[in-house]
């Protein structure tokens, strides 16, 4: 009988991607999930304005700020199970896309093993959308045929070996959580003779706290210090970074032509 009661009250987990930061960049499906939530567990990179979509839900902050954890991952897993046991719908709200360095897959697996119904609502990944918000594409015909998205820091707090492999390619390289390893990353690209490759660092992308620095592999460390850039930030390495300035130049040229035409009139 006890097992039967558990099946009748097993609850469910929906892992939702909140997008890169701008509250308008969450998906409609993500909003609908929040509206049906009984409990929302949210991370540090989630704008708390999104919690307004779940006015009656219990809201628990489980993120980390500057290395300080509100909950360890094992505690988050247990929290999901405990809150879901009374037939509750738990929404795990995570920045960006929960399957791009978000541990969403791990949480879903843990919940499924404990009998919960599990679902995921994909989010707009910061790895693509944050550069795009600054007119930087990750691919562009004639400039980049592919792109890498790499974590700058592994679970062992070391630089991913994939960065060295990416530095050998002609692809755009997007590095998340890499600011603490910026010098080490740039050295890998310098060793491949790529000191002049453009680099952009975008901090707090798509939010009102956004900051950006643009330079080259050789100069970006200076730019980062000068503009006091730090995590959470995205590092974009590749010729596609130049696209932003091209758009600025085209806009200026068009504006100048308009002004000349107005003067003639």
């Amino acid at each position: 009988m006890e097992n039967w009661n558990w099946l009748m009250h097993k609850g469910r987990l929906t892992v939702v991607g909140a997008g890169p930061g701008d509250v308008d960049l969450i998906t409609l499906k993500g909003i609908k999930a929040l509206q049906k939530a009984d409990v929302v567990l949210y991370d540090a990179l989630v704008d708390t304005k999104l919690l307004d979509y779940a006015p009656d839900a219990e809201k628990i902050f489980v993120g980390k700020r500057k290395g300080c954890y509100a909950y360890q991952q094992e505690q988050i897993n247990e929290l999901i199970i405990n809150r879901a046991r009374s037939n509750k719908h738990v929404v795990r709200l995570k920045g960006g896309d929960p399957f791009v360095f978000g541990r969403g897959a791990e949480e879903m697996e843990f919940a499924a093993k404990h009998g919960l119904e599990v679902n995921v609502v994909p989010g707009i990944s910061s790895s693509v959308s944050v550069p795009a918000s600054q007119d930087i594409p990750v691919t562009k015909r004639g400039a980049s045929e592919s792109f890498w998205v790499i974590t700058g820091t592994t679970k062992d707090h070391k630089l991913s070996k994939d960065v060295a492999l990416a530095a050998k390619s002609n692809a755009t390289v997007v590095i998340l959580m890499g600011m603490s390893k910026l010098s080490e990353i740039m050295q890998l690209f310098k060793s491949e003779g790529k000191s002049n490759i453009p680099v952009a660092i975008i901090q707090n992308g798509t939010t009102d706290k956004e900051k950006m620095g643009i330079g080259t592999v050789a100069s970006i460390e200076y730019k980062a210090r000068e503009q006091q850039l730090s995590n959470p930030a995205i590092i974009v390495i590749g010729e596609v970074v130049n696209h932003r300035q091209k758009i600025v130049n085209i806009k200026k040229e068009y504006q100048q032509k308009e002004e000349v035409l107005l003067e003639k009139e």
Side-chain angles (χ1 to χ4, degrees):
M1 182 63 70
E2 184 178 345
N3 290 337
W4 173 252
N5 287 336
W6 163 241
L7 289 172
M8 291 292 290
H9 302 90
K10 65 179 182 178
R12 60 188 171 124
L13 168 70
T14 303
V15 180
V16 176
D22 184 341
V23 293
D24 291 336
L25 291 176
I26 191 173
T27 64
L28 287 173
K29 193 167 185 177
I31 290 172
K32 290 176 181 177
L34 284 169
Q35 291 171 336
K36 296 175 182 177
D38 297 306
V39 182
V40 180
L41 309 181
Y42 64 99
D43 282 344
L45 296 180
V46 170
D47 192 315
T48 54
K49 292 177 184 175
L50 290 175
L51 301 179
D52 292 342
Y53 288 113
D56 300 322
E58 179 186 10
K59 302 162 186 81
I60 306 172
F61 173 72
V62 295
K64 65 175 180 176
R65 291 192 176 101
K66 295 183 179 179
C68 297
Y69 289 81
Y71 289 83
Q72 296 294 329
Q73 186 61 51
E74 293 78 11
Q75 294 173 307
I76 295 171
N77 291 344
E78 291 298 332
L79 198 56
I80 290 170
I81 303 305
N82 290 337
R83 287 299 190 275
R85 283 196 184 276
S86 55
N87 201 29
K88 287 185 176 179
H89 178 203
V90 177
V91 167
R92 181 71 173 93
L93 189 60
K94 306 172 80 67
D97 181 276
F99 280 6
V100 181
F101 305 122
R103 303 192 74 167
E106 296 174 39
E107 293 172 356
M108 288 181 70
E109 184 176 352
F110 186 87
K113 287 179 178 178
H114 285 75
L116 269 63
E117 177 188 340
V118 294
N119 296 284
V120 62
V121 178
I124 298 174
S125 174
S126 59
S127 61
V128 175
S129 59
V130 167
S133 72
Q134 286 293 342
D135 296 330
I136 299 173
V138 292
T139 62
K140 185 181 178 183
R141 188 166 58 173
S144 175
E145 298 173 355
S146 61
F147 63 97
W148 293 61
V149 180
I150 309 172
T151 178
T153 306
T154 67
K155 65 179 182 179
D156 298 321
H157 306 291
K158 296 180 180 179
L159 182 65
S160 170
K161 293 181 180 179
D162 286 348
V163 177
L165 296 174
K168 297 178 183 295
S169 76
N170 293 319
T172 302
V173 182
V174 180
I175 300 176
L176 310 185
M177 301 170 286
M179 289 302 291
S180 64
K181 302 284 194 300
L182 182 61
S183 180
E184 192 176 347
I185 292 166
M186 292 305 114
Q187 189 56 49
L188 288 172
F189 281 83
K190 288 175 186 176
S191 67
E192 296 295 334
K194 296 182 176 181
S195 294
N196 294 323
I197 292 291
V199 181
I201 297 176
I202 309 166
Q203 179 181 333
N204 290 312
T206 77
T207 74
D208 56 6
K209 296 179 180 179
E210 186 174 69
K211 295 167 64 177
M212 183 171 66
I214 291 181
T216 63
V217 167
S219 68
I220 197 63
E221 289 180 70
Y222 168 77
K223 293 283 186 180
R225 287 193 299 270
E226 181 183 52
Q227 298 184 39
Q228 297 182 324
L229 298 171
S230 60
N231 282 322
I234 287 177
I235 304 166
V236 186
I237 308 166
E239 294 295 340
V240 291
V241 172
N242 286 334
H243 176 78
R244 184 177 189 277
Q245 189 58 47
K246 287 180 181 178
I247 294 298
V248 170
N249 293 341
I250 290 169
K251 288 178 179 178
K252 283 182 179 178
E253 184 179 345
Y254 187 82
Q255 186 177 5
Q256 289 170 354
K257 288 179 180 178
E258 278 190 325
E259 290 172 355
V260 170
L261 289 173
L262 288 172
E263 288 175 1
K264 287 182 178 180
E265 290 179 359

